[in-house]
Amino acid sequence: MSYSPESLEAFAQAVALGSFSAAARKLGKSQSTVSEAIARLEIDLGLELFDRSGRQPQLTDAGRALLGRVDEILAASDRLQHAAAQLAGGLEPRVSLALSDAYQSAQYEERLTELDQRYPDLEFECLIAEHHDVIELVVQGRATLGLLAAQGSYPPEVGAATVAERADFGLFVAREHPLAQLANVRESDLAGWRLLRLNTVGDAMAPADGLPFSGGRCWSAPSYLLLLEMASNGFGWAELPRWLVSGYANGRLKELQVPGWPRSQAVDVVWSRQRPLGPAASWLLERLLDRPAAR
C-alpha cells in the first residue's frame, strides 16, 4: 500500500507543531484539508495516530511508534526529488575512479568527503589498477577518471594533467633476504636475485623502468600490494611505493641503498576526450589538480 506524501507531511507537521491548525498554516492549507489528510492516513494504516478527545489532538502510542518511519519516508522522498533534479540538470549518475597504489595523498580523503557533501546521491566507485590498465579502463569507459604514475605518452583520445603530489619509490626486500645484509647495493648485486615486478594486463613482459633483469629470474603481479606481499615472503626484491611499505609492510621489509634510489615520480590524472565529463567528474578533476600541467 502507498501513502500520499501530503498525508505523511501533514502528520509530521502536526506532531512537530502540536496542532492541526498550526500544521495547516505551515503548509499553506486549510485546517480541514490537513485533518482529512491525517484521517486518510489513519484509514490506510488501520491505526489511530491521534487521540482527539481533548482540546488538542494528542499523539497515540501507535502514532509515536510510527513517527520515525514517517520521517524516514519523507527524507527518502526529499533525496529522490534532489537526485531527480540533479539528473535533469545534467548530473551523471555515477563516477568511477581508477586509482594506482602509487598515488597517496593526505587530501584524497578530504576530496571524497567534499564529493559526498556536494553530490550525496552520486554513485561513486573506486577501482584499483596500475599503469596501462588505468588508461585502458578510462579508454573503455569503465572508469571516468584515472590516477597513475605519469607515463611518457598517452593515446590521443586520453587527456592528462599532473597533480601536485608526487610518488616516492624505493627498492625493498625482506629483512631476512641476503640483499638486506648489504650496506650498499649495486645493480650487479640486484641482477643476481629474483626481480618482483609489476605486470599489468596492458603491459608487455619486459624489464620495468630499466631495472636489472636476469633471464627468467622474475616473478610478476598486477598490483603493488601483491608485490609487497611477495617481497615480504622473501621471494625477491621489488620497486614499491614507499608510503605503501610504510603503511602495510609492518616492518617486514628493508629499503635497499642503491645509487639513484629512492626515486620521485610524477602522478597524472587521466580522462577520455571521447566522453565529456559530467558536472561531478569535472568538479572532482579540478579538486584533484593543483597547478595542473595539461597535456
Side-chain angles (χ1 to χ4, degrees):
M1 180 180 293
S2 60
Y3 311 104
S4 72
E6 293 80 8
S7 295
L8 297 174
E9 182 69 19
F11 170 67
Q13 291 291 349
V15 173
L17 299 174
S19 71
F20 291 178
S21 58
R25 288 193 296 273
K26 180 65 177 287
L27 296 172
K29 301 180 182 297
S30 66
Q31 182 173 335
S32 61
T33 299
V34 170
S35 297
E36 290 172 6
I38 294 175
R40 285 197 303 271
L41 181 60
E42 289 176 317
I43 293 172
D44 290 340
L45 292 171
L47 294 169
E48 188 177 68
L49 301 176
F50 287 98
D51 178 359
R52 297 170 173 79
S53 61
R55 181 181 179 88
Q56 294 289 348
Q58 298 297 316
L59 198 62
T60 64
D61 290 341
R64 190 172 296 105
L66 293 179
L67 178 59
R69 300 292 186 182
V70 170
D71 289 339
E72 290 175 1
I73 294 173
L74 291 173
S77 178
D78 289 342
R79 291 195 298 272
L80 175 63
Q81 292 179 0
H82 180 68
Q86 288 188 322
L87 290 170
L91 177 69
E92 66 273 45
R94 180 182 186 182
V95 169
S96 295
L97 176 66
L99 185 66
S100 165
D101 280 331
Y103 178 78
Q104 192 269 344
S105 169
Q107 286 75 43
Y108 178 62
E109 291 185 2
E110 295 179 11
R111 299 295 176 261
L112 293 188
T113 299
E114 293 173 358
L115 182 70
D116 175 45
Q117 294 171 347
R118 189 178 184 91
Y119 302 106
D121 299 302
L122 176 75
E123 180 182 350
F124 178 77
E125 178 185 28
C126 186
L127 306 169
I128 300 300
E130 300 294 344
H131 289 190
H132 294 293
D133 285 357
V134 175
I135 299 171
E136 191 62 23
L137 287 170
V138 169
V139 169
Q140 293 175 353
R142 181 64 183 83
T144 316
L145 299 170
L147 281 163
L148 74 164
Q151 306 295 295
S153 63
Y154 294 96
E157 66 271 25
V158 172
T162 301
V163 303
E165 296 84 2
R166 296 181 64 88
D168 289 327
F169 286 85
L171 303 183
F172 294 88
V173 293
R175 289 194 172 276
E176 299 77 19
H177 193 282
L179 284 173
Q181 315 312 314
L182 302 178
N184 295 289
V185 180
R186 299 166 298 178
E187 289 195 356
S188 58
D189 297 322
L190 294 175
W193 298 94
R194 182 184 291 120
L195 164 65
L196 307 175
R197 70 166 295 254
L198 201 65
N199 183 32
T200 63
V201 174
D203 288 326
M205 188 63 181
D209 299 324
L211 296 175
F213 180 66
S214 178
R217 295 180 61 81
C218 174
W219 287 7
S220 63
S223 76
Y224 284 116
L225 194 57
L226 286 174
L227 289 181
L228 182 150
E229 288 300 317
M230 292 163 68
S232 297
N233 286 320
F235 296 133
W237 60 274
E239 175 191 13
L240 296 169
R242 298 175 85 196
W243 80 266
L244 195 69
V245 173
S246 176
Y248 293 95
N250 297 318
R252 295 176 293 167
L253 293 176
K254 179 181 178 181
E255 184 169 2
L256 300 176
Q257 302 302 309
V258 182
W261 294 85
R263 294 178 179 174
S264 180
Q265 171 69 58
V267 176
D268 283 353
V269 56
V270 296
W271 62 92
S272 172
R273 292 193 172 111
Q274 296 181 327
R275 283 176 293 276
L277 296 178
S282 297
W283 176 88
L284 181 58
L285 173 61
E286 292 304 315
R287 296 300 290 138
L288 289 171
L289 290 174
D290 181 20
R291 300 182 303 277
R295 292 195 176 116

